[in-house]
Amino acid sequence: MDSLVLKVISGTAEEFSRDIVTFQENYGNRVTFEELNKDQLREKLWEILFHYILDKSQSSIHRSCLLTLRILSRDRTKLNELLTDEKINVILDKAALKDADVQQQISYSDVIIESLKLLCNLIFNSTKVQQTLPRSCLSCLIKHMREYNDDVPQEVMLFHARIVFLITALNSSMQQVVKTELNGDECLINILENVCTRCEQEQMIKEDHLMLICEVLKALFNLYMNSADSEEKEEKNKQLVRILYKLLLLKCEKEDDLQSNIANLLTVLPYDCYSTIIPPAQDEHKQIFQEIDMSAVAILMKFLDRRLNCKTDLIGNLSPIVTAFIRLAKSQRLIRKYARQQILPPLRDVMQRPEEGTTLRAKLCKLLTSPTTELRDLVAEFLFILCKENVSRMVKYTGYGNAAGMFANKGLLGPNKGKAVYSSESEDSETEEYLQHKEQINPVTGCFEHPKPNPLEGMSEEQKEYEALQLAGLIDALTKQGLVQPCRIGDDGKPKPIEHVLELQEQLPKQQYGRRDSDSD
């Protein structure tokens, strides 16, 4: 590399245009360039590239220079030092993002597109660019996006959206600027709607459209993440959810990418805008539930099922879609009822533990004992909402053992806990299978168990008392060694550590668990 770089730096303009292409061919896939760390080769190479970019007589090689800079900008070594304000302004000028007041129609050349790609790299890799990118650049960018027409290349729209996503992801102070002061969210929603309309005409989402859609969805996620929308923006938010509904129903080859980004966005949208994801039913071929079109929710349910099969990065794969369903179920009663029908249908198979099998219920119940507490608590919250936040119903569908951790965290272990305000309409009746085996269902495991012999049968009262004292002594010894920590239930419904095992006896009458597992309200 050294000899080639030296030729690029010191050669004539004609040699430069030839050697720079050779550099791109040889090193276009590299992300680091350790060889440039000596003899200031890195600095000299950057200087010569900008020398030719600033030379208007060399316009034929400007794109090639920018492409080479894009390759070099993958390496963060000295990047902040190399990027002077002058160089940043040159790149913005070449990307047509320097002056927001310019009114002339832009012809999007290869040089502009290459500059936009370079700018994306610089925003991602340079903290200096993240923090000092001029606000006028974003104003100009949003202005261009607002004035898109059919002549704007798809690639330009993609990198415009990516710049908005990157700068709002890496500089949180820019989120409100783009959303509130520049109305960037409305601009992005309009772009999303236009692309959606085009895809509806083609009856599918093609890959180039999908890339743009995903970049817009990611940018919108950043803009909504920490914002508090006013009431006058409610219709705009509903418009966005209406677009998400349409996108979910379109055929798409890489549906996981699309659905993942939609699920992410749903986790940050205001509660009052979710209604448009379940419009009144108009097509009998769609998923209809109580005269409402549940097609989009059904697609998200299938996406949840696929994500539950993931073996790695469970938090990254599951948290967004579970959080989205929690918000949807809380805000829309029919979504909760539909989700419950799919996940917690009337119990018929009472012979297996709730966490056994391949149903949605089983997959979710398995996570109730996950060592990943963040995911465990999220899944527990979702199932609890589907159970109308009713402790008895939660025990019935998940088993007390699986749900005990959540009950403890929420203070629901005491008497008369877990009564939430939900509609009084009954959503389920107990099945014949459940009623037949109801008395043999162990509430701890949540499944049928054959009667077991009484271990105290045949013992005298003296023997029973002896065994009880032995057990109390063992528990006391384990407690003193710090191996176990017995607790009683406090007035707040949460476990409270005890100082001596005999304190458990005082609380015994208060801790009897009353089984009231009817689905009727």
Side-chain angles (χ1 to χ4, degrees):
M1 176 189 257
D2 293 1
S3 58
L4 178 58
V5 171
L6 288 171
K7 288 174 66 178
V8 169
I9 293 170
S10 58
T12 63
E14 184 179 349
E15 291 170 333
F16 174 88
S17 60
R18 182 182 64 247
D19 292 335
I20 205 66
V21 173
T22 304
F23 180 91
Q24 294 161 11
E25 291 171 350
N26 292 348
Y27 305 106
N29 294 323
R30 291 270 298 273
V31 293
T32 57
F33 304 92
E34 297 86 353
E35 304 95 322
L36 299 179
N37 293 339
K38 59 182 180 181
D39 300 328
Q40 291 193 309
L41 289 178
R42 189 185 306 272
E43 291 85 344
K44 292 174 182 177
L45 184 53
W46 275 72
E47 287 301 323
I48 195 66
L49 288 166
F50 273 95
H51 167 77
Y52 281 108
I53 290 173
L54 289 168
D55 188 343
K56 294 182 179 179
S57 67
Q58 298 293 334
S59 59
S60 61
I61 60 171
H62 284 181
R63 178 184 176 276
S64 189
C65 292
L66 290 161
L67 192 158
T68 306
L69 282 170
R70 175 161 63 90
I71 294 170
L72 293 172
S73 66
R74 297 168 188 162
D75 191 337
R76 298 185 181 186
T77 305
K78 293 186 177 181
L79 192 55
N80 287 342
E81 300 169 34
L82 292 164
L83 284 166
T84 62
D85 291 343
E86 181 185 4
K87 288 185 173 68
I88 293 173
N89 283 326
V90 169
I91 295 167
L92 292 177
D93 186 43
K94 292 297 180 182
L97 294 178
K98 191 174 179 184
D99 191 346
D101 296 325
V102 174
Q103 298 295 322
Q104 79 262 22
Q105 186 70 33
I106 295 176
S107 175
Y108 287 101
S109 63
D110 289 344
V111 168
I112 290 179
I113 294 173
E114 197 59 56
S115 300
L116 292 171
K117 293 179 182 179
L118 169 59
L119 189 56
C120 287
N121 270 16
L122 296 179
I123 294 172
F124 185 73
N125 285 323
S126 168
T127 54
K128 179 176 181 178
V129 176
Q130 293 163 19
Q131 300 300 322
T132 64
L133 194 68
R135 178 177 162 178
S136 59
C137 157
L138 291 172
S139 300
C140 188
L141 176 58
I142 299 298
K143 179 178 180 294
H144 291 332
M145 296 173 79
R146 197 172 285 120
E147 296 174 357
Y148 281 163
N149 56 42
D150 293 339
D151 296 328
V152 178
Q154 188 87 2
E155 204 171 13
V156 168
M157 292 191 283
L158 172 67
F159 288 106
H160 278 171
R162 186 166 293 172
I163 288 170
V164 176
F165 162 67
L166 288 170
I167 196 64
T168 52
L170 298 169
N171 184 349
S172 58
S173 66
M174 297 308 299
Q175 292 171 0
Q176 281 301 103
V177 171
V178 174
K179 187 174 193 292
T180 307
E181 299 179 33
L182 301 178
N183 286 323
D185 55 337
E186 293 184 13
C187 177
L188 288 166
I189 291 170
N190 291 334
I191 293 170
L192 195 63
E193 186 165 39
N194 291 334
V195 177
C196 180
T197 300
R198 202 175 309 162
C199 293
E200 284 183 305
Q201 293 169 353
E202 298 170 354
Q203 297 185 334
M204 70 174 298
I205 300 175
K206 295 180 179 178
E207 187 168 355
D208 58 340
H209 290 153
L210 177 63
M211 292 175 66
L212 173 58
I213 289 168
C214 288
E215 289 299 328
V216 171
L217 291 174
K218 290 191 292 184
L220 283 168
F221 173 85
N222 290 343
L223 297 184
Y224 276 92
M225 185 166 52
N226 296 312
S227 70
D229 274 348
S230 56
E231 290 183 8
E232 52 265 27
K233 290 203 171 185
E234 181 180 341
E235 187 51 43
K236 176 205 66 178
N237 297 331
K238 287 184 176 180
Q239 175 196 0
L240 174 55
V241 176
R242 196 177 295 116
I243 297 167
L244 300 184
Y245 162 84
K246 293 178 181 180
L247 290 173
L248 284 168
L249 267 59
L250 281 167
K251 182 181 178 182
C252 178
E253 290 184 5
K254 295 183 178 179
E255 61 181 9
D256 265 32
D257 291 347
L258 174 67
Q259 291 166 15
S260 175
N261 281 293
I262 289 177
N264 286 343
L265 184 53
L266 287 171
T267 65
V268 294
L269 292 178
Y271 276 92
D272 58 12
C273 70
Y274 291 125
S275 59
T276 51
I277 206 168
I278 50 169
Q282 296 179 340
D283 187 342
E284 62 182 14
H285 298 295
K286 292 182 178 177
Q287 188 76 34
I288 299 174
F289 178 75
Q290 296 188 7
E291 300 183 355
I292 295 295
D293 182 359
M294 285 286 173
S295 302
V297 178
I299 289 167
L300 289 172
M301 192 71 69
K302 290 179 181 177
F303 175 67
L304 169 64
D305 195 14
R306 293 196 302 275
R307 285 295 165 103
L308 284 167
N309 295 326
C310 292
K311 304 299 182 186
T312 58
D313 189 20
L314 291 180
I315 291 179
N317 282 311
L318 277 169
S319 289
I321 184 59
V322 175
T323 302
F325 265 114
I326 287 174
R327 294 175 66 86
L328 288 166
K330 277 187 172 182
S331 67
Q332 297 295 315
R333 182 177 64 91
L334 282 179
I335 293 180
R336 178 186 58 77
K337 292 179 71 173
Y338 176 80
R340 184 182 176 217
Q341 185 187 76
Q342 302 303 310
I343 297 172
L344 302 176
L347 276 178
R348 287 186 167 80
D349 181 5
V350 295
M351 298 300 169
Q352 288 193 105
R353 291 185 176 225
E355 66 271 20
E356 293 175 347
T358 58
T359 63
L360 275 169
R361 170 188 172 223
K363 293 175 183 178
L364 288 167
C365 284
K366 284 176 188 174
L367 295 172
L368 292 176
T369 53
S370 168
T372 308
T373 55
E374 179 185 338
L375 184 59
R376 178 196 68 199
D377 294 345
L378 205 58
V379 169
E381 179 72 12
F382 179 38
L383 291 172
F384 197 44
I385 289 168
L386 295 187
C387 292
K388 289 184 164 184
E389 300 185 37
N390 181 291
V391 170
S392 296
R393 188 173 291 176
M394 183 79 168
V395 170
K396 173 181 174 180
Y397 281 98
T398 69
Y400 188 86
N402 288 330
M406 185 204 73
F407 294 155
N409 291 338
K410 285 181 171 285
L412 298 174
L413 293 175
N416 301 318
K417 299 288 182 179
K419 292 184 178 178
V421 178
Y422 280 89
S423 61
S424 60
E425 179 187 353
S426 176
E427 294 182 1
D428 197 6
S429 59
E430 293 177 347
T431 63
E432 291 182 12
E433 295 90 339
Y434 180 78
L435 289 172
Q436 182 182 353
H437 301 289
K438 184 175 180 178
E439 296 306 318
Q440 285 78 45
I441 293 175
N442 184 334
V444 175
T445 62
C447 69
F448 173 87
E449 289 185 3
H450 289 284
K452 295 180 174 63
N454 184 351
L456 301 179
E457 191 173 347
M459 285 189 182
S460 65
E461 292 303 315
E462 290 79 8
Q463 286 175 308
K464 292 177 184 177
E465 185 177 350
Y466 173 78
E467 293 296 339
L469 290 172
Q470 288 291 101
L471 179 59
L474 288 171
I475 295 175
D476 193 46
L478 291 171
T479 302
K480 289 176 179 177
Q481 294 174 39
L483 298 176
V484 298
Q485 178 62 72
C487 296
R488 61 180 179 84
I489 305 305
D491 293 337
D492 60 357
K494 295 183 178 181
K496 303 292 182 185
I498 62 171
E499 295 181 5
H500 194 278
V501 70
L502 292 179
E503 289 182 48
L504 294 174
Q505 185 176 359
E506 300 170 11
Q507 293 288 318
L508 190 59
K510 300 179 183 179
Q511 297 186 54
Q512 299 301 312
Y513 184 80
R515 294 186 63 192
R516 185 174 56 82
D517 50 12
S518 170
D519 279 310
S520 172
D521 291 310

